[in-house]
Amino acid sequence: MKKKLYVATFGCQMNEYDSQRMVQMLSSDYELCKVPEEADLIIVNTCSIREKAENKVYSLVGRFRRLKDQNPDLKIAVTGCVAQQEGRRLQERAPFVDIVAGPQGIHSLPKALKEVHRGRQAVTLTTLQDDFVIPEIKAPLPEKDAVRTFITIMQGCNNFCTYCVVPYTRGREVSRPPAHIIDEAVRAVSQGVKEITLLGQNVNSYGKGLGTTFSGLLRSICNISGLKRVRFTTSHPKDLTQDIIDCFGDLVPLCEHLHLPVQSGSNRVLKRMNRKYSREHYLDIVERLRRRCPQIVLTTDLIVGSPGESDDDFEQTISLLKEVEFDQIFAFKYSPRPNTKAARFNDQVDEEIKSARLTQVLELQNEISLKKYGMLVGRTVEVLVEGVSRNGRGQLTARTRGNHVVNFHGPKELIGTFCNIVVEKAGYHSLVGSLLDPSSAPLHNGSKVFTLPLS
Ligand code: SAH
Ligand code: SF4
Ligand code: F3S
């Protein structure tokens, strides 16, 4: 009988992908269980992007420690970005943790497990190699009842934005060979996946050292027969070239949504962040994207209260939000991170100012989101039905090509299919609609227009 494995995942989609790969690597000996109390192995796959995420890890592993009293054979592994950052310190602070493995180290997890089972006290896998090669995993992909899936195309980051911990936790950029990515995508599609999101911290710089480019990979992925929807994240504005912009106009499976983190609207702050683009460059990209693909939906990340951000700098961010009108934003209060340059800047912003600025951007964005989402009311949109909504109203939840969540009443058999929905109501973060007669013609007819005009 197989042993039981419980995985708790924090952080970005790349961590979710890594968690799936760990399950895959361990699948000959372990199967997933739903609660940590049943587990023989608990993996906590951690994130270190902002302070709170880290604290959560320490309190969570503290809780898992007690389970060792009932099951002395239980092993606990802490993986991911906090593991990389803390290394041996983590084992000192939480000596009951058996394995500490950073994002590169997770591939040696099966071997490390054997060692701790043989009696070794603890294993730390936190060496970061600059010439790291992402290993291909021989075991079959996990069973996919998923409608959509992620595929990591590159690992690490070379950008060293001054606020960001990722280059220290995930190491240098390495791209997976296109053949491996395409093979994985083809297998996912043959297992029923309808939507694939290509992942990396900076996907636009994919292919360096492999003699290929991101737009080249994107074109190959969009050629896979049966694959209806393709997305990618995250893009760095400095690497978003015209050939990638053109893909939004050319490639039918490529969804009309781009998440393009701007971080700040002030050139002075962007410079201190080491972002390597200006406000004007960013606005020019937005204009070119909208010219090439008028229905494109844009979302962004931004940081308020980063070191030295003045009232005037912050106003520039506000004015950029008004100018671009993103559909959604993810806004964060700056949080100093270990090893980063910005943590050592001596003009840190007061916590109260950060909080007030965050409230202000979120209030402004709520207005903008409501306006943008409101523009879809009365329209028919094509959605991919993902599952049952968690809103408790017995609705299904689906997603438009523009990445808007739509909830509606319909039979569960629609999960995994494409439907046409008439949008009836807009909220800040989602839409409510009703199902159009299933026999109506699909909107996805090979053109790049997926929203019917207002009748
Ligand atoms: N690679 C992506 C994003 C990585 S992290 C990119 O380059 O855009 C996701 C988001 O977390 C970032 O876009 C940024 O807005 C936020 N973030 C990163 N470090 C942060 C910090 N120290 N404090 C607050 N927010 C941060
Ligand atoms: Fe962090 Fe910047 Fe790299 Fe994104 S591009 S992961 S923000 S260093
Ligand atoms: Fe977090 Fe590491 Fe992802 S810090 S956001 S899990 S790259």
Side-chain angles (χ1 to χ4, degrees):
M1 210 175 74
K2 284 189 184 178
K3 294 188 196 174
K4 302 274 187 234
L5 165 64
Y6 180 82
V7 186
T9 308
F10 300 90
C12 60
Q13 294 158 333
M14 262 161 289
N15 254 17
E16 283 181 42
Y17 180 86
D18 286 350
S19 288
Q20 282 178 9
R21 291 298 83 96
M22 288 190 273
V23 174
Q24 188 187 354
M25 276 183 262
L26 297 168
S27 61
S28 55
D29 298 326
Y30 290 87
E31 62 190 11
L32 279 175
C33 62
K34 292 220 159 61
V35 287
E37 288 75 14
E38 286 173 9
D40 302 296
L41 169 63
I42 295 178
I43 298 177
V44 185
N45 196 12
T46 62
C47 168
S48 168
I49 201 80
R50 285 169 292 273
E51 240 142 7
K52 278 194 194 126
E54 205 170 281
N55 297 343
K56 254 196 242 164
V57 171
Y58 277 109
S59 71
L60 190 67
V61 290
R63 273 189 11 232
F64 291 152
R65 170 196 202 161
R66 270 176 263 141
L67 299 176
K68 283 198 164 187
D69 298 338
Q70 288 129 47
N71 177 4
D73 288 335
L74 170 66
K75 302 291 176 222
I76 300 178
V78 178
T79 60
C81 291
V82 176
Q84 185 64 44
Q85 174 192 304
E86 299 289 296
R88 286 187 203 287
R89 227 174 327 152
L90 200 148
Q91 255 150 355
E92 278 158 28
R93 208 170 141 181
F96 51 91
V97 168
D98 301 279
I99 298 169
V100 175
Q104 290 187 3
I106 60 167
H107 296 274
S108 309
L109 201 60
K111 193 165 149 247
L113 261 174
K114 284 203 182 97
E115 286 174 25
V116 294
H117 277 297
R118 259 192 244 120
R120 192 166 156 190
Q121 277 271 295
V123 180
T124 310
L125 303 162
T126 49
T127 314
L128 277 182
Q129 289 173 317
D130 283 356
D131 54 355
F132 179 66
V133 178
I134 304 173
E136 291 306 293
I137 301 164
K138 297 279 184 306
L141 286 177
E143 268 306 297
K144 286 214 166 62
D145 50 11
V147 181
R148 44 188 209 132
T149 196
F150 304 125
I151 299 183
T152 289
I153 63 166
M154 64 194 296
Q155 163 118 340
C157 184
N158 291 351
N159 289 320
F160 292 94
C161 301
T162 50
Y163 53 82
C164 184
V165 78
V166 173
Y168 306 94
T169 60
R170 290 209 172 238
R172 294 294 66 72
E173 263 177 26
V174 262
S175 297
R176 280 176 79 189
H180 293 177
I181 298 165
I182 291 164
D183 177 59
E184 196 172 320
V186 168
R187 282 199 284 160
V189 173
S190 71
Q191 285 177 282
V193 164
K194 304 280 189 311
E195 177 177 313
I196 288 178
T197 304
L198 305 176
L199 295 181
Q201 288 298 348
N202 177 16
V203 289
N204 302 153
S205 74
Y206 171 83
K208 280 192 193 129
L210 294 176
T212 174
T213 61
F214 179 62
S215 58
L217 176 73
L218 203 52
R219 286 178 190 275
S220 311
I221 293 284
C222 285
N223 254 333
I224 294 174
S225 119
L227 180 55
K228 295 279 184 5
R229 287 185 173 191
V230 176
R231 304 178 190 275
F232 57 84
T233 199
T234 307
S235 290
H236 195 304
K238 80 174 166 60
D239 296 310
L240 196 88
T241 49
Q242 186 60 41
D243 54 337
I244 302 172
I245 294 176
D246 287 340
C247 288
F248 282 101
D250 297 343
L251 303 175
V252 174
L254 182 61
C255 289
E256 293 71 25
H257 167 229
L258 178 64
H259 184 66
L260 190 62
V262 65
Q263 312 301 0
S264 167
S266 152
N267 281 336
R268 209 178 64 89
V269 173
L270 288 171
K271 201 160 184 90
R272 288 198 72 188
M273 287 177 161
N274 192 32
R275 288 292 285 179
K276 302 194 178 90
Y277 55 85
S278 64
R279 173 193 177 96
E280 293 71 27
H281 181 186
Y282 188 91
L283 291 173
D284 176 58
I285 294 174
V286 169
E287 200 194 311
R288 281 187 283 136
L289 278 162
R290 287 183 167 156
R291 214 181 305 138
R292 196 68 179 80
C293 180
Q295 65 272 43
I296 197 160
V297 169
L298 298 173
T299 56
T300 202
D301 289 346
L302 56 89
I303 299 177
V304 296
S306 60
E309 185 188 67
S310 66
D311 288 342
D312 180 55
D313 293 318
F314 176 65
E315 281 309 316
Q316 304 265 333
T317 296
I318 292 285
S319 87
L320 183 123
L321 288 181
K322 289 181 182 163
E323 196 166 336
V324 177
E325 296 198 314
F326 297 98
D327 274 53
Q328 290 287 328
I329 65 166
F330 298 88
F332 309 102
K333 285 195 273 187
Y334 167 73
S335 149
R337 305 311 296 132
N339 306 315
T340 60
K341 252 191 183 170
R344 296 191 294 273
F345 290 163
N346 57 16
D347 45 3
Q348 303 289 328
V349 172
D350 285 350
E351 204 47 42
E352 302 86 82
I353 296 178
K354 285 186 201 171
S355 299
R357 287 180 183 167
L358 183 65
T359 308
Q360 199 182 330
V361 287
L362 293 178
E363 279 172 5
L364 168 65
Q365 185 56 39
N366 275 347
E367 267 175 52
I368 298 172
S369 293
L370 207 56
K371 174 179 155 194
K372 300 286 276 191
Y373 278 48
M375 282 157 70
L376 290 167
V377 173
R379 291 181 173 234
T380 304
V381 290
E382 185 195 72
V383 298
L384 173 57
V385 188
E386 291 175 359
V388 176
S389 167
R390 282 197 225 125
N391 66 13
R393 292 187 206 114
Q395 289 176 311
L396 296 177
T397 186
R399 200 175 290 269
T400 67
R401 291 176 58 91
N403 212 36
H404 309 99
V405 170
V406 188
N407 295 317
F408 66 99
H409 286 287
K412 284 203 181 113
E413 295 69 56
L414 291 178
I415 294 169
T417 68
F418 291 91
C419 302
N420 293 340
I421 300 287
V422 183
V423 180
E424 287 165 346
K425 227 168 75 190
Y428 296 127
H429 305 290
S430 64
L431 300 164
V432 180
S434 63
L435 184 63
L436 207 68
D437 177 1
S439 61
S440 63
L443 290 179
H444 188 290
N445 58 4
S447 76
K448 287 290 280 183
V449 179
F450 302 96
T451 321
L452 290 181
L454 283 167
S455 47

